[in-house]
């Protein structure tokens, strides 16, 4: 439960129709199994104590009394357990028959929640006001709108939706979520059909995404009557549009962890939840905080699809966004040339690819892309060669402009020694390159196309008013991992063997600004030795800036994703570096040029994630100190 994680499960044991005593035994077995797995919220199907296919037997006194006795056995079996359990049974309240969710925790029956959509069923429409019923000598509330709020985890509030309620035009889950429920327990009753699994997956994905919530759904299983249907026992756990766990067999059990902190961050960003239009009563539960053992997958590359089969289409769409943005900007400005500074690195390689695609889309010759390689003190033959080969194979006009003399003259003008390798030595080269590119663009009715990516803007690994600046940056919305994925996508798809080989070699080269002198023509200045792995940085960006997680929680997740690649000390070192640089380099992000976003997160000063340029990182670093 620490860091906002809560382990949940949906269970569908094989039961016997109308045999409540037998079914209680199977349910209790599931509860004990779930407890061993650390589950805190456990959901069973609708009418799980009797079976949902009892037909007219459902209202018989013997069945009702047997169900009540079975419920009391289940309640007793949960004594001492800090677990919220949802089981289903028919309940008679006076002359009315309800299909109810019995909500149990720690040996106590907390409430009964009746189904509201009763059309075509044996059940009555519940009252709009709260009523009570005596079960086991205790007065139990019966009401449709109850939120079961955990007293330990902020934001963990569970509500229940039964059977046909899931198919209502305005389902109860909508009202529950708007009122604060972050987890919806769906106690289903649908039979198996050829499309039932796909439909249930679609519903859980859609509703959990729309409501920024977790969905825990359990459908009836193999023990139900086969008179008119069969039942699959489908169990699902979904979070914000993603299926985290799924099981569909005899004695199904789907277990995963919901990230309540993430869901609450999403809701705060929308500002549309916790409204008072749908009044609910609050029922507290939960007695202690525990460290939830995580079984859900933590991807290394959260900015790319987890399913590698979807990666080609994902890259195609990213490229389309980049190209469309560049075409629109050139057409608006009445420009017919692209000017790109090419270094042989992955970012400039992608920029020249995008520029080539853009002029082609505009019906212009490929030579209208002017690719400028500007060697200076730190340029290796490998990167220079790759830059030229890629540009030539794409049909670009290639210009080789040695800027060494201009930079030396600049050093003389400002009184900087030629062997003083301080920051001015490095930045002068970057600024000279930017001046050359912009002036060439002005000269040929062109646009200076920027190459810096989102990852480098996040950590500030760029020269202010140097490579930091351009007339339009096609990479501004892409992380380094996305840039690399796009270049690999183009390399994999091209039939040009020369281009393919050059692109693969670009991908194999270490990331380097090439601003310090080299020896023996070897790449010596490596960006990732200074700022850390870009893969790791992109992971930090996703967790800290996009999901709003603390450094401590981010460290925990990074250990799961990167524990085999980095030691704890290395992870803390780079996480500390990230937090320092993110704050100190904001001034560079506060004046970024235009460029297209490819996902919901950007650092554009107009529409992106903003912080003050002089914000303090004290609290972030203080939390990291505790990890050392």
């Amino acid at each position: 439960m620490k860091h906002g994680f809560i382990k949940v499960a949906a269970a569908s044991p094989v039961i016997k129709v109308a045999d409540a005593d037998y079914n209680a035994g199977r349910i209790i077995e599931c509860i004990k199994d779930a407890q061993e797995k650390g589950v805190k919220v456990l959901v069973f199907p609708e009418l799980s104590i009797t079976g949902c296919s009892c037909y007219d037997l459902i209202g018989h006194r013997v069945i009702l009394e047997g169900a009540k006795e079975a419920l009391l056995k289940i309640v007793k079996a949960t004594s001492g357990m800090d677990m919220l359990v949802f089981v289903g049974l028919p309940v008679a309240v006076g002359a009315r028959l309800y299909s109810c969710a019995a909500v149990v925790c720690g040996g106590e029956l907390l409430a009964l929640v009746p189904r509201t959509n009763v059309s075509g069923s044996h059940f009555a429409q519940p009252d709009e006001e709260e009523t009570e019923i005596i079960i086991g000598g205790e007065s139990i509330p019966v009401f449709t709108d109850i939120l079961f709020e955990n007293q330990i985890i902020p934001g963990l509030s569970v509500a229940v939706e039964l059977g046909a309620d899931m198919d209502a035009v305005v389902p109860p889950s909508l009202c529950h979520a708007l009122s604060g429920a972050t987890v919806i327990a769906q106690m289903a009753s649908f039979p198996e059909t050829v499309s039932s699994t796909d439909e249930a997956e679609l519903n859980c994905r859609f509703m959990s995404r729309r409501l920024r919530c977790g969905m825990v759904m359990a459908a009836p299983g193999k023990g139900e009557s086969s008179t008119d249907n069969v039942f699959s026992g489908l169990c699902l756990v979904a979070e914000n549009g993603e299926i985290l766990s799924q099981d569909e067999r005899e004695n199904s059990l789907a277990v995963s962890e919901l990230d309540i902190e993430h869901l609450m961050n999403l809701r705060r960003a929308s500002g549309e939840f916790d409204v008072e239009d749908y009044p609910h009563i609050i029922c507290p539960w939960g007695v202690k905080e525990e460290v939830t053992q995580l079984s859900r997958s933590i991807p290394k590359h959260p900015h790319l699809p987890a399913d590698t089969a979807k990666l080609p289409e994902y890259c195609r769409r990213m490229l389309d966004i980049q190209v469309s943005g560049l075409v629109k900007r050139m057409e608006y400005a009445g420009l017919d040339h692209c000017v790109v500074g090419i270094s042989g690195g992955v970012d400039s390689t992608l920029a020249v690819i995008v520029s080539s695609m853009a002029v082609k889309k505009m019906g212009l010759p490929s030579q209208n892309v002017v690719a400028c390689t500007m060697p200076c003190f730190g340029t290796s033959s490998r990167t220079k060669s790759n830059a030229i080969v890629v540009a030539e194979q794409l049909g670009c006009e290639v210009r080789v402009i040695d800027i060494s003399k201009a930079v030396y003259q600049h050093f003389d003008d400002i009184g900087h020694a030629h062997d003083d390798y301080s920051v001015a030595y490095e930045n002068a080269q970057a600024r000279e390159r930017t001046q050359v590119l912009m002036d060439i663009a002005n000269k040929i009715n062109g646009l200076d196309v920027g190459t810096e990516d989102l990852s480098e803007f996040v950590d500030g690994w760029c020269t202010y008013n140097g490579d930091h600046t351009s007339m339009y940056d096609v990479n501004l919305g892409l992380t380094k991992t996305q840039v690399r994925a796009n270049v690999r996508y183009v390399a994999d798809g091209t039939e040009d063997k020369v281009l393919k080989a050059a692109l693969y070699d670009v991908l194999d080269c270490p990331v380097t600004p090439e601003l310090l002198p080299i020896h023996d023509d070897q790449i010596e200045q490596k960006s990732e030795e200074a700022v850390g792995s870009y893969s790791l940085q992109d992971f930090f960006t996703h967790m800290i800036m996009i999901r709003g997680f603390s450094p401590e929680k981010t460290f925990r997740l990074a250990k799961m994703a990167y524990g085999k690649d980095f030691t704890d000390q290395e992870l803390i070192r780079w996480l500390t570096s990230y937090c320092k640089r993110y704050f100190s380099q904001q001034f560079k992000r506060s004046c970024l040029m235009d460029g297209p976003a490819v996902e919901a997160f950007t650092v554009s000063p107009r529409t992106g994630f903003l912080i003050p340029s002089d914000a303090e990182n004290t609290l972030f670093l203080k939390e990291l100190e505790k990890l050392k």
Side-chain angles (χ1 to χ4, degrees), residues 1 28 73 90 100 112 180 196 199 212 241 292 387 415-416 463 472 481 498 504 510 522 550 566 597:
M1 298 166 72
I28 291 170
K73 290 181 182 179
C100 287
L112 294 170
S196 58
E199 290 170 358
R212 282 86 159 176
T292 301
H416 188 84
T463 297
Y472 190 80
T481 48
V498 175
Y504 285 144
Q522 297 298 310
S550 67
F566 298 94

Side-chain angles (χ1 to χ4, degrees), residues 351-371:
V352 78
I353 290 171
V354 170
S355 298
S356 179
M357 296 171 69
V359 298
K360 181 178 180 181
K361 188 173 183 178
M362 295 172 69
L364 299 171
S366 58
Q367 294 88 344
N368 280 33
V369 177
V370 178

Side-chain angles (χ1 to χ4, degrees), residues 12 52-53 188-200 217 219-226 228-234 246-250 252:
S12 184
C52 69
S53 52
S189 59
F190 58 81
E192 181 179 13
T193 68
V194 291
S195 60
S196 58
T197 299
D198 289 342
E199 290 170 358
M217 191 217 75
K222 302 295 184 181
E224 294 284 351
S225 170
S226 61
D228 292 306
N229 294 285
V230 296
F231 296 80
S232 70
L234 176 64
Q246 179 173 342
D247 196 7
E248 190 173 21
R249 57 191 170 91
E250 291 186 354
S252 300

Side-chain angles (χ1 to χ4, degrees), residues 75-334:
V75 171
K76 183 178 180 180
T78 66
S79 180
M81 295 184 184
D82 189 26
M83 182 195 306
L84 194 66
V85 181
F86 293 83
V87 295
L89 76 163
V91 176
V93 181
R96 293 188 173 188
L97 182 63
Y98 298 145
S99 173
C100 287
V103 187
V104 180
C105 184
E108 181 182 357
L109 178 57
L110 303 182
L112 294 170
V113 181
R115 192 172 101 186
T116 58
N117 187 349
V118 296
S119 177
S121 72
H122 295 80
F123 303 108
Q125 185 74 34
D127 292 331
E128 294 183 1
E129 301 295 329
E130 178 187 355
T131 58
E132 293 186 347
I133 183 176
I134 303 299
I135 295 182
E138 301 288 336
S139 180
I140 307 300
V142 181
F143 191 49
T144 56
D145 297 324
I146 304 179
L147 298 180
F148 299 90
E149 291 193 351
N150 188 274
Q151 303 301 289
I152 306 300
I153 298 183
L156 175 54
S157 180
V158 189
V160 62
E161 188 174 60
L162 291 98
D165 288 348
M166 296 163 56
D167 299 320
V169 175
V170 182
S173 57
L174 175 62
C175 303
H176 296 329
L178 289 174
S179 297
T182 49
V183 179
I184 305 297
Q186 289 192 320
M187 303 174 69
S189 59
F190 58 81
E192 181 179 13
T193 68
V194 291
S195 60
S196 58
T197 299
D198 289 342
E199 290 170 358
E201 289 178 1
L202 178 62
N203 179 70
C204 282
R205 286 171 58 90
F206 171 73
M207 291 302 291
S208 65
R209 176 78 173 188
R210 181 186 183 191
L211 302 179
R212 282 86 159 176
C213 73
M215 291 276 187
V216 188
M217 191 217 75
K222 302 295 184 181
E224 294 284 351
S225 170
S226 61
T227 301
D228 292 306
N229 294 285
V230 296
F231 296 80
S232 70
L234 176 64
C235 292
L236 293 171
V237 177
E239 176 192 277
N240 191 40
E242 179 184 359
I243 302 294
L244 300 180
S245 180
Q246 179 173 342
D247 196 7
E248 190 173 21
R249 57 191 170 91
E250 291 186 354
N251 297 311
S252 300
L253 181 67
V255 183
S256 191
E257 301 80 36
L258 298 177
D259 190 341
I260 304 303
E261 181 183 348
H262 175 46
L263 296 173
M264 290 299 291
N265 289 341
L266 291 172
R267 290 187 171 192
R268 292 189 187 107
S270 75
E272 297 177 352
F273 291 83
D274 288 356
V275 298
E276 298 180 356
D277 296 351
Y278 310 102
H280 285 60
I281 62 173
I282 305 300
C283 183
W285 68 284
V287 296
K288 61 181 178 179
E289 182 181 43
E290 300 175 6
V291 177
T292 301
Q293 298 301 315
L294 301 183
S295 62
R296 60 187 289 176
S297 174
I298 306 298
K300 283 187 175 182
H301 307 299
H303 296 277
L304 297 176
D307 184 353
T308 56
K310 296 180 179 179
L311 184 58
E313 174 60 16
Y314 190 82
C315 291
R316 186 199 66 78
R317 290 183 64 86
M318 286 195 292
L319 282 166
D320 182 67
I321 291 170
Q322 292 179 279
V323 172
S324 296
L326 182 54
V327 168
K328 169 66 178 179
R329 181 52 54 94
M330 291 180 66
E331 289 178 342
Y332 174 80

